[in-house]
């Protein structure tokens, strides 16, 4: 299992580095650069669209489609995080903070 996680972490780290590099690219040179040029609100809209498509893939029962749509969702979420100067590490730290807490308790602490 560790080897699989290491491979997953490596893929995500490489993607994050690519997204960071594309932040400086010309909008016409890459899809990611064009998203950054449109701004965080447009990227957030794309994340929402991908979330809906992921939910629809679940409803369809098509596992392959669910995997593909989940990849699209994660990709666009990572673009959004980078556009806001955040990373998966920031999200992982928040997940670590919540580890072992009841979901009800954690949610109540935000209110």
């Amino acid at each position: 299992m560790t080897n699989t996680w290491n491979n997953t972490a490596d893929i995500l780290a490489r993607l994050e580095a690519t997204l960071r590099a594309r932040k400086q690219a010309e909008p016409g040179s890459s899809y990611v650069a064009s998203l950054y040029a449109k701004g965080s609100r447009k990227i957030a809209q794309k994340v929402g669209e991908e979330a809906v498509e992921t939910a629809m893939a679940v409803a369809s029962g098509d596992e392959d489609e669910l995997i593909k749509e989940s990849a699209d969702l994660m990709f666009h979420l990572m673009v959004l995080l980078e556009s806001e100067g955040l990373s998966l590490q920031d999200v992982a730290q928040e997940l670590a903070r919540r580890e072992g807490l009841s979901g009800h308790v954690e949610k109540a602490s935000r209110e």
Side-chain angles (χ1 to χ4, degrees):
M1 184 70 158
T2 301
N3 189 31
T4 301
W5 174 246
N6 286 339
N7 290 340
T8 301
D10 289 346
I11 290 165
L12 295 174
R14 287 194 310 269
L15 177 56
E16 227 170 19
T18 299
L19 296 177
R20 197 171 307 111
R22 298 279 164 80
K23 206 170 182 182
Q24 307 307 317
E26 290 295 319
S29 68
S30 81
Y31 173 68
V32 172
S34 72
L35 286 173
Y36 289 138
K38 293 175 185 173
S40 294
R41 290 176 66 110
K42 185 65 175 172
I43 299 167
Q45 179 183 355
K46 188 66 179 166
V47 170
E49 291 170 10
E50 295 300 342
V52 169
E53 290 172 7
T54 301
M56 290 170 54
V58 170
S60 77
D62 185 335
E63 185 177 276
D64 189 51
E65 191 66 17
L66 175 57
I67 291 168
K68 290 176 182 175
E69 293 299 342
S70 295
D72 288 347
L73 176 58
M74 288 186 68
F75 173 85
H76 287 90
L77 179 58
M78 289 175 69
V79 172
L80 180 62
L81 289 170
E82 180 62 36
S83 76
E84 292 294 305
L86 299 170
S87 69
L88 288 178
Q89 182 63 38
D90 297 312
V91 176
Q93 287 172 345
E94 176 60 16
L95 290 172
R97 184 191 70 76
R98 295 179 186 187
E99 189 172 16
L101 291 177
S102 157
H104 295 296
V105 170
E106 192 286 321
K107 187 167 182 171
S109 73
R110 290 187 265 162
E111 294 173 357

